[in-house]
Amino acid sequence: MSDDEYYEEEVTSNTSKKGDEAFAKAKHGVKKGELDEQLREYINEWRKQRAKEEEELKRMKEKQAKRKEIRAEQEKKLAQQKKEEEDKARKEEAEKKAKEAEEKKKRLEEAERKRQEMMAAQKEKGGKKQQAPALDARREMSKTKEQVEEEMKISLSIRIKPLDLDAMDSDELKTKAQQLWDTIVTLETDKYDYEQRRLAQDYELKELKERQKIQLRNKAIKKGLDPEAFTGKHPPKIRMFSKYERRTDTRTYGDRKKLYEGGWEVVRAEMLEALWKEKYDDWQKRPKAKLPKWFGERPGKKAGDPETPEGEEDEAGGGGEAAAEEDYEEEEEEEEEEEEEEEEE
């Protein structure tokens, strides 16, 4: 290849390369423009959607605020209505109480007036005061402390009239003060007397309770129970004869005490008695032979005694044996008595 041909070919290749680059740039520009256009449309669509959401949120907030206002107004109305109802109920209760107090006051005034009239009539007649019916006393006992205090205040307001001090002069005031002082002295004297009477009654009641305790203790001991059985808070338990028999134990304390007296000592004494009887029976069954003569003489024979015949020797021997048996029995009885005395000690 010549130089001219190589140069022409190189120029042609450079030109084609430049064309390709321009075509690629044009194509890339078209794509970029399309992408920009799509992105712009997406952004516009997002902005529209965002505006709608913001508008919807704003509308919801306004709706919520309106609901809060409506609810606050309703709660305010309900609170006002409730307050009015409470005030009305309180007012009705106060009126009812005032009415009841007024009726009670009138009733007590009427009762006081009747009492004063009855006392005046009794003073005129000189008779004794009549007893109040039991129903009124029961009604008085069933009243609460507050009711009693309230009635006491009303009664005192009826009985004790307020003093008109302005209309009194010095002499009248002195007379009234002296009357009040005499009343106080009389009341204090009665109070002291009643207190002393109460102390004496308390002492008498205490003494009577002690006597009752002593009587109950004696009664329990007689029945064979614990001394404190009848003096406790609860009644005594029913003592059964045994846990296997459903019947009440009627034995006295002495009878039940004898069940546990002696114990092993009694068993041992019975066993010794049976053993002694057995041995004694064996001893009674022994063969009774004559004592043999010793160098032509019977044992126990004293010097100078006459010799006894054969029959009399048998009788004498039998008598000696009986006497020996009696002595042995006496010795055994003495030993048993000594053993019993030692056991008792």
Side-chain angles (χ1 to χ4, degrees):
M1 182 182 285
S2 60
D3 295 335
D4 295 334
E5 290 176 355
Y6 181 76
Y7 179 74
E8 288 177 0
E9 186 177 353
E10 187 177 354
V11 170
T12 305
S13 62
N14 289 334
T15 305
S16 62
K17 284 180 181 179
K18 290 179 180 178
D20 292 338
E21 288 176 0
F23 179 75
K25 285 181 180 179
K27 188 177 179 181
H28 183 67
V30 171
K31 287 183 178 179
K32 188 175 180 182
E34 289 178 357
L35 289 171
D36 291 342
E37 187 67 26
Q38 288 178 0
L39 183 60
R40 194 177 295 108
E41 289 178 359
Y42 178 76
I43 290 170
N44 291 333
E45 187 68 24
W46 178 78
R47 283 177 179 172
K48 288 178 182 178
Q49 189 69 23
R50 180 68 178 173
K52 286 181 180 179
E53 290 178 356
E54 287 179 354
E55 186 178 355
E56 183 70 20
L57 183 62
K58 186 178 179 181
R59 188 175 62 80
M60 293 289 289
K61 285 183 178 180
E62 289 176 356
K63 189 176 181 181
Q64 187 178 9
K66 286 181 181 179
R67 284 184 178 177
K68 283 184 178 180
E69 290 177 359
I70 293 169
R71 191 173 298 162
E73 289 179 0
Q74 289 178 352
E75 288 179 355
K76 190 176 180 181
K77 287 181 180 178
L78 287 173
Q80 185 68 22
Q81 186 177 358
K82 188 176 180 181
K83 187 178 179 182
E84 290 176 357
E85 289 177 357
E86 288 178 354
D87 293 342
K88 186 178 179 181
R90 200 179 295 111
K91 188 176 180 182
E92 289 178 355
E93 187 70 20
E95 290 177 355
K96 186 178 179 181
K97 284 184 178 179
K99 189 176 180 181
E100 288 179 356
E102 188 68 24
E103 290 177 357
K104 190 180 288 184
K105 188 175 180 180
K106 288 181 180 178
R107 190 168 61 251
L108 289 173
E109 285 178 355
E110 185 68 21
E112 182 67 18
R113 186 179 60 79
K114 289 181 179 179
R115 191 181 70 84
Q116 294 289 348
E117 291 177 357
M118 184 175 64
M119 288 179 65
Q122 286 175 357
K123 284 181 180 179
E124 290 176 359
K125 293 179 181 179
K128 293 183 180 179
K129 186 178 179 181
Q130 296 179 357
Q131 293 290 336
L135 187 62
D136 294 341
R138 197 176 295 112
R139 192 182 297 113
E140 290 291 332
M141 292 292 291
S142 63
K143 289 180 181 178
T144 61
K145 188 176 180 181
E146 291 78 9
Q147 291 176 346
V148 172
E149 288 180 355
E150 185 180 359
E151 291 183 0
M152 184 180 67
K153 288 179 181 178
I154 295 171
S155 179
L156 288 175
S157 65
I158 294 168
R159 294 183 185 182
I160 302 172
K161 302 296 181 182
L163 296 174
D164 190 7
L165 299 176
D166 296 333
M168 291 183 181
D169 56 4
S170 59
D171 295 335
E172 291 178 351
L173 286 173
K174 286 180 182 179
T175 306
K176 194 66 179 177
Q178 187 64 33
Q179 289 177 1
L180 293 174
W181 175 256
D182 294 340
T183 305
I184 291 170
V185 170
T186 305
L187 293 174
E188 288 293 332
T189 306
D190 294 341
K191 179 183 175 183
Y192 179 77
D193 293 340
Y194 290 142
E195 286 178 352
Q196 293 300 318
R197 187 185 298 176
R198 184 176 65 83
L199 291 174
Q201 288 177 354
D202 291 343
Y203 179 76
E204 290 175 0
L205 285 174
K206 188 176 180 181
E207 189 176 356
L208 288 173
K209 285 181 180 178
E210 290 297 328
R211 289 182 185 176
Q212 186 182 20
K213 279 186 179 180
I214 293 169
Q215 291 177 358
L216 291 174
R217 285 195 187 100
N218 295 332
K219 184 178 178 183
I221 291 170
K222 284 181 181 178
K223 289 193 173 183
L225 302 173
D226 186 70
E228 303 295 330
F230 293 130
T231 59
K233 185 178 179 182
H234 303 287
K237 293 182 180 179
I238 298 174
R239 188 186 298 276
M240 305 306 291
F241 193 83
S242 70
K243 64 179 181 179
Y244 304 107
E245 299 181 28
R246 301 293 296 173
R247 62 191 182 94
T248 310
D249 189 4
T250 55
R251 294 172 295 180
T252 61
Y253 179 73
D255 295 340
R256 283 188 284 108
K257 187 178 179 183
K258 288 178 181 177
L259 294 175
Y260 304 100
E261 285 182 351
W264 174 245
E265 287 79 5
V266 176
V267 176
R268 181 171 171 272
E270 291 177 355
M271 184 176 64
L272 290 173
E273 183 71 20
L275 186 62
W276 179 83
K277 285 182 179 179
E278 184 180 354
K279 295 288 184 182
Y280 182 70
D281 292 340
D282 293 342
W283 186 77
Q284 288 278 46
K285 293 175 184 177
R286 76 189 187 288
K288 298 179 181 179
K290 294 180 181 179
L291 293 174
K293 289 184 178 182
W294 189 256
F295 296 103
E297 293 182 2
R298 296 289 181 187
K301 184 178 179 183
K302 296 180 181 179
D305 290 341
E307 292 186 5
T308 56
E310 291 296 327
E312 292 182 4
E313 283 182 1
D314 294 340
E315 291 176 2
E321 289 173 1
E325 287 176 3
E326 289 177 0
D327 294 340
Y328 182 76
E329 288 179 358
E330 289 177 359
E331 290 176 359
E332 287 289 334
E333 289 177 358
E334 289 177 358
E335 289 178 0
E336 287 179 2
E337 289 177 358
E338 290 177 358
E339 287 179 359
E340 289 178 359
E341 288 177 358
E342 289 177 358
E343 290 174 357
E344 289 177 357
E345 291 176 357

